[in-house]
Amino acid sequence: MIKRHKTAKQLFSYPLYWAECYGVSPFLPTTREEMDALGWDSCDVIIVSGDAYVDHPSFGMAVLGRLLEAQGYRVGIIDQPDWRNTQDFMRLGRPNLYFGVTAGNMDSLINRYTADLKVRNDDAYTPYGVGGKRPDRAVIVYSQRCKEAFQDVPVMIGGIEASLRRIAQYDYWSDEVRRSVLIDSTADILLYGNAERAMIEVTHQMAMGKTLDELTDIRGTTIVRNAPPGGYTEIDSTRVDWPGKVDQIYSPYEYIPEGKCQTKDEGDSDVMPIRVIPAPLRRGEKLDPEKTYIRLPSFEKVSKDPVLYAHTSRILHLESNPHNARALIQKHGKKEIWVNPPPIPLETPEMDGVFDLPYARVPHPKYKKARIPAYDMIKTSINIMRGCFGGCTFCSITEHEGRVIQSRSHESILNEIEDIKAKVPGFTGHISDLGGPTSNMYTLNCNDDEVQASCRKLSCVYPTICSNLNTDHSPTTELYRKTRAVEGIHTVSIASGLRYDLAVEDPEYVRELVTYHVGGLLKIAPEHSEQGTLSKMMKPGMGTYDRFKRMFDKYSKEAGKKQHLIPYFIAAHPGSSDEDMLNLAVWLKTNDFKPDQVQTFYPSPMSLATAMYHSGKNPLKPVTYKSEDVYTPKDAKQRTVQKGFLRYHDPSNWQDLRNTLVKMGRTDLIGHGDNKLVPAEDKDKQIHRRPQKAKPGQAIGASHTSNRPTMEKNAVAEKARRKNANEASAAPSKRRKAKVKTRQ
């Protein structure tokens, strides 16, 4: 067992690079003219991003750009370049160190396509919300263009798109397993997760003259190797059907140069033999995690064998704790993808330092008055923490940010409020959110460092809350009170997702939240009502929801406020049958919830639920060819029907639901009355088909939408409606004229 947490070099302890003499830029330059105005002859690092450049700590390019600037480097931004040629990638010249490439704050494919693979017409991270300003698989395209523009310049890829594709991954959009994005992009190194530590270390090492080929063991990085490094022990986990008696495997990597002694002490680390242990034999043997790696099934195998894919997904997730994770290796043809262990989480002073950097907090002036919807949504919101230990299988936050919660200090957060007051144009005194991946995991972590350092659990709250987890919300409650007391602040909303199973452990927090920070409606995410599906999501049962609802109603009444919960639900999740969705629909009607916006399960790269979707196996448990099968609705018609169950009240879904209920033998739910789900067919003509808006105070519900601000399309829709109405009214007149002309 590991005795203590691993540590890392303090983020702001590196010696400053010589270019720090140029000081702080009002905005990181995006053109040669801006560089000239700053007196720069070149950039040390150029960041290429699929998002518009907003100098705000909620935008990854701004965070990493400002952090590198604080380390003394000159950083340029190439935002939303024209990828059809190399010209735009050359506009800032040749970087002295490397190109840093990211698709942006969102995966480019999730940004572009709905869960039903329909093309979106909008992009919240683009001026005016215009769609199509970035290519599909932007990391691959941008990286290749950088290589074409400057063949000898290293390319570093990162951000959520690259992070979730660091090994072979199932690709929903092409319905196949694709290679690591590091191979397809031709980039030199991949940074996964929150990349501050890795980027600073790599940048300083390169500035000192090292090449990327020499930087092989930096945490949070993925590289390409020709062969595994010498002196390691390999745990061979390429199979799921090991025979009963397993013999030690001869290492194919063993190589002892002629004339060299075979003792470990005298061997060269680059040519020392590799010890290979079959996965079944590793149990009980103490291995040094610093000199151990796990061999995953190759790309060629997982692309053809869904069971091996599920097995690989399980291993990846079990090796996500930065304090005990081992390196991973996966063969791609003749190359080896080497994934170093995750980065050490930032400590509170480091988090403060990152968020205290001199952000302008507005979009780059070149956009003038163009509206960037994502900025409008977050311009007065504050990230107070990172990470999530919930482990929801359909979510990729944990795979990207990790399970260890990283929190800022109260002082840093209050300083950011003052920064917002000073810099955000038209600020009215409303803080739109204090949160992050969740709103109420702030400062919550394992009570025992030794336990946390050895833990490999996929969730700290499923199936029940771990006894070692700190659930004291008082630091969050105190923070809420401090922010409300800031002069000029009249409202502090909480918009990030709430883990109500944690909240109920601290009634005082729930009272504070409900009394002061809910504006009538609070969104929470039960996701489903049926235990079979919930177990595949790693979500708590509805009993916890009922407990929270009672507290919510009680404290709302005490505050003299009429408030309602808006529960989110997902249709067509792995493990969800039509009967499960029917039971959920009945629960919704019984509780008078009429969901408006609903979401079908979206298989994002690397998530455990995506492994279930692709393989039909459950990676929450050891995977074998005979292990538990997971049913997943994949047929487009069935996914539509399951989505329709969530909107049982929408007349456009009634016919499909009636047909499904007939097939299920549940015609008792067809008809008129409180105990019926959909009306009989003869009622269709009597009921206006246009969905009605909820009345004030009526309980309504919702289901997950992607993390995208809603586009304001009212004006466009109204214009189209009027045009159609005019054409419709003109049609009879045209027909009469045509008849008259015919008679003549």
Side-chain angles (χ1 to χ4, degrees):
M1 178 179 289
I2 298 171
K3 297 299 182 184
R4 61 181 178 84
H5 279 195
K6 295 189 184 303
T7 58
K9 187 172 181 177
Q10 211 279 340
L11 200 62
F12 294 93
S13 65
Y14 292 83
L16 297 181
Y17 190 58
W18 69 265
E20 59 92 16
C21 61
Y22 285 100
V24 175
S25 308
F27 287 89
L28 302 177
T30 64
T31 64
R32 272 286 191 176
E33 291 73 21
E34 293 174 59
M35 288 172 59
D36 292 340
L38 295 170
W40 298 4
D41 61 344
S42 61
C43 291
D44 300 309
V45 175
I46 295 176
I47 297 176
V48 180
S49 174
D51 292 341
Y53 172 30
V54 179
D55 201 53
H56 187 284
S58 290
F59 287 75
M61 82 176 87
V63 171
L64 293 176
R66 289 296 187 184
L67 180 60
L68 286 171
E69 179 187 60
Q71 303 285 329
Y73 297 96
R74 294 168 294 177
V75 183
I77 299 284
I78 297 178
D79 52 311
Q80 298 192 314
D82 181 353
W83 69 91
R84 297 169 185 85
N85 56 64
T86 61
Q87 186 174 349
D88 228 9
F89 294 83
M90 304 173 72
R91 70 187 191 211
L92 298 182
R94 181 187 186 280
N96 301 322
L97 296 177
Y98 61 83
F99 279 106
V101 170
T102 173
N105 273 19
M106 282 187 68
D107 183 288
S108 62
L109 292 168
I110 294 177
N111 182 282
R112 185 63 170 158
Y113 300 95
T114 68
D116 298 323
L117 299 179
K118 296 178 181 178
V119 177
R120 304 184 198 269
N121 296 318
D122 57 324
D123 183 340
Y125 295 89
T126 301
Y128 299 110
V130 176
K133 291 296 184 180
R134 76 186 83 208
D136 290 351
R137 310 187 195 282
V139 166
I140 294 175
V141 177
Y142 290 162
S143 179
Q144 291 177 349
R145 288 292 179 266
C146 288
K147 287 287 188 180
E148 291 174 20
F150 299 98
Q151 191 173 7
D152 59 334
V153 175
V155 174
M156 174 194 297
I157 57 176
I160 194 163
E161 179 168 311
S163 181
L164 300 183
R165 291 172 171 80
R166 52 189 181 266
I167 63 171
Q169 84 290 157
Y170 173 71
D171 184 81
Y172 174 61
W173 302 271
S174 59
D175 192 25
E176 64 181 2
V177 175
R178 291 178 63 95
R179 301 183 298 182
S180 165
V181 71
L182 191 55
I183 298 286
D184 288 340
S185 67
T186 70
D188 299 278
I189 190 170
L190 182 156
L191 274 55
Y192 67 90
N194 294 123
E196 288 94 347
R197 286 203 194 283
M199 177 168 268
I200 293 304
E201 181 65 24
V202 170
T203 307
H204 278 296
Q205 293 285 350
M206 292 183 69
M208 290 188 292
K210 289 191 177 182
T211 65
L212 284 177
D213 291 338
E214 299 175 88
L215 307 180
T216 60
D217 59 353
I218 296 176
R219 283 178 165 270
T221 65
T222 302
I223 60 173
V224 177
R225 288 181 179 272
N226 292 321
Y232 274 72
T233 297
E234 174 183 296
I235 297 176
D236 184 356
S237 193
T238 58
R239 301 171 62 181
V240 296
D241 58 350
W242 293 93
K245 184 178 183 300
V246 182
D247 296 323
Q248 197 77 13
I249 296 176
Y250 166 73
S251 171
Y253 308 108
E254 184 166 352
Y255 167 63
I256 303 175
E258 187 176 349
K260 288 276 188 177
C261 177
Q262 295 188 26
T263 62
K264 180 176 179 180
D265 292 340
E266 296 177 19
D268 187 320
S269 63
D270 291 332
V271 293
M272 284 171 59
I274 296 171
R275 180 181 174 221
V276 180
I277 301 178
L281 294 183
R282 76 187 189 277
R283 298 185 183 279
E285 182 171 356
K286 294 182 180 180
L287 300 174
D288 179 6
E290 299 291 338
K291 284 294 181 179
T292 304
Y293 65 83
I294 299 177
R295 175 163 290 283
L296 304 174
S298 68
F299 159 71
E300 287 74 17
K301 287 185 177 180
V302 299
S303 64
K304 297 175 182 177
D305 189 334
V307 175
L308 282 180
Y309 181 88
H311 168 69
T312 301
S313 178
R314 176 174 171 80
I315 297 171
L316 176 79
H317 287 79
L318 289 174
E319 298 297 326
S320 62
N321 183 342
H323 300 299
N324 63 24
R326 294 158 289 195
L328 304 174
I329 194 167
Q330 185 178 51
K331 185 174 282 295
H332 284 57
K334 295 182 179 180
K335 297 291 186 180
E336 301 274 17
I337 293 295
W338 177 270
V339 183
N340 282 299
I344 302 301
L346 298 185
E347 299 292 338
T348 294
E350 295 173 305
M351 283 280 286
D352 290 351
V354 168
F355 283 89
D356 290 347
L357 293 169
Y359 304 101
R361 306 197 72 87
V362 293
H364 191 282
K366 69 180 181 180
Y367 303 122
K368 298 180 180 178
K369 295 184 178 181
R371 177 175 173 263
I372 300 175
Y375 169 69
D376 286 348
M377 185 179 75
I378 56 83
K379 62 184 177 183
T380 63
S381 72
I382 299 175
N383 288 325
I384 64 174
M385 48 77 67
R386 287 179 179 171
C388 179
F389 51 69
C392 300
T393 62
F394 51 82
C395 179
S396 297
I397 291 175
T398 299
E399 286 74 64
H400 183 59
E401 294 195 1
R403 290 179 174 82
V404 179
I405 302 302
Q406 305 161 70
S407 303
R408 297 168 62 187
S409 69
H410 287 184
E411 182 182 8
S412 174
I413 295 166
L414 295 174
N415 286 342
E416 184 167 354
I417 292 179
E418 296 299 332
D419 213 32
I420 290 173
K421 289 166 58 178
K423 294 180 179 178
V424 175
F427 178 63
T428 62
H430 177 204
I431 298 298
S432 59
D433 188 26
L434 291 176
T438 61
S439 62
N440 63 318
M441 286 188 186
Y442 178 70
T443 72
L444 304 188
N445 263 309
C446 188
N447 283 318
D448 189 319
D449 284 353
E450 186 174 316
V451 170
Q452 186 179 49
S454 61
C455 181
R456 293 186 185 276
K457 290 183 65 175
L458 298 177
S459 171
C460 298
V461 291
Y462 183 85
T464 58
I465 297 175
C466 178
S467 59
N468 291 304
L469 181 66
N470 168 30
T471 59
D472 178 15
H473 286 57
S474 60
T476 311
T477 303
E478 183 183 356
L479 175 64
Y480 289 176
R481 291 168 180 166
K482 287 181 178 179
T483 55
R484 294 200 308 270
V486 174
E487 184 179 357
I489 301 301
H490 62 73
T491 305
V492 179
S493 298
I494 304 302
S496 295
L498 178 77
R499 284 296 304 216
Y500 57 85
D501 51 345
L502 284 171
V504 295
E505 299 298 315
D506 194 327
E508 181 61 24
Y509 168 76
V510 179
R511 183 196 299 271
E512 190 79 13
L513 174 73
V514 171
T515 303
Y516 299 104
H517 301 281
V518 176
L521 301 174
L522 178 65
K523 298 177 182 179
I524 58 174
E527 311 296 4
H528 216 284
S529 62
E530 303 306 291
Q531 191 57 44
T533 306
L534 289 170
S535 69
K536 303 303 184 295
M537 296 176 166
M538 287 211 296
K539 293 286 289 186
M542 294 305 287
T544 308
Y545 166 83
D546 293 335
R547 182 182 170 195
F548 178 78
K549 186 177 187 304
R550 287 193 295 270
M551 295 176 70
F552 180 86
D553 291 342
K554 173 186 175 182
Y555 294 134
S556 292
K557 184 177 181 180
E558 287 181 2
K561 301 169 71 174
K562 290 185 178 180
Q563 300 186 139
H564 304 277
L565 293 176
I566 302 181
Y568 280 123
F569 297 97
I570 298 178
H573 190 278
S576 177
S577 65
D578 287 352
E579 184 176 357
D580 289 334
M581 293 305 300
L582 167 60
N583 291 336
L584 173 55
V586 171
W587 183 91
L588 289 170
K589 182 163 187 180
T590 301
N591 288 275
D592 194 27
F593 284 119
K594 296 181 178 179
D596 183 15
Q597 295 179 328
V598 299
Q599 177 69 25
T600 310
F601 169 66
Y602 204 149
S604 58
M606 203 173 281
S607 75
L608 285 164
T610 298
M612 296 180 200
Y613 176 92
H614 172 60
S615 68
K617 292 293 182 180
N618 183 5
L620 299 179
K621 303 175 182 178
V623 177
T624 69
Y625 290 101
K626 295 181 179 180
S627 62
E628 176 189 4
D629 291 326
V630 177
Y631 168 77
T632 302
K634 292 184 178 181
D635 178 75
K637 179 67 175 177
Q638 190 177 17
R639 282 166 64 89
T640 299
V641 168
Q642 289 214 359
K643 187 177 180 179
F645 271 119
L646 289 176
R647 286 184 53 78
Y648 65 90
H649 54 285
D650 185 347
S652 65
N653 294 320
W654 288 348
Q655 189 57 54
D656 283 341
L657 292 181
R658 278 193 289 260
N659 294 340
T660 302
L661 291 172
V662 169
K663 291 179 182 177
M664 296 174 68
R666 294 303 306 271
T667 55
D668 58 299
L669 293 174
I670 302 174
H672 185 69
D674 293 338
N675 62 339
K676 307 296 182 182
L677 189 63
V678 294
E681 194 166 356
D682 60 355
K683 294 287 183 181
D684 284 7
K685 296 179 181 179
Q686 302 176 27
I687 300 177
H688 188 41
R689 285 183 173 270
R690 191 173 182 180
Q692 300 298 306
K693 294 183 178 180
K695 298 177 181 179
Q698 178 185 4
I700 59 175
S703 190
H704 272 306
T705 55
S706 57
N707 295 325
R708 300 163 51 84
T710 303
M711 302 292 98
E712 292 183 352
K713 298 180 180 178
N714 294 347
V716 175
E718 179 64 18
K719 184 177 180 180
R721 187 191 66 75
R722 290 178 180 175
K723 180 180 178 182
N724 293 337
N726 291 337
E727 290 176 352
S729 61
S733 176
K734 290 181 180 179
R735 286 196 293 270
R736 285 195 297 271
K737 291 180 180 179
K739 290 180 180 179
V740 171
K741 189 173 183 180
T742 301
R743 293 192 193 100
Q744 292 175 345

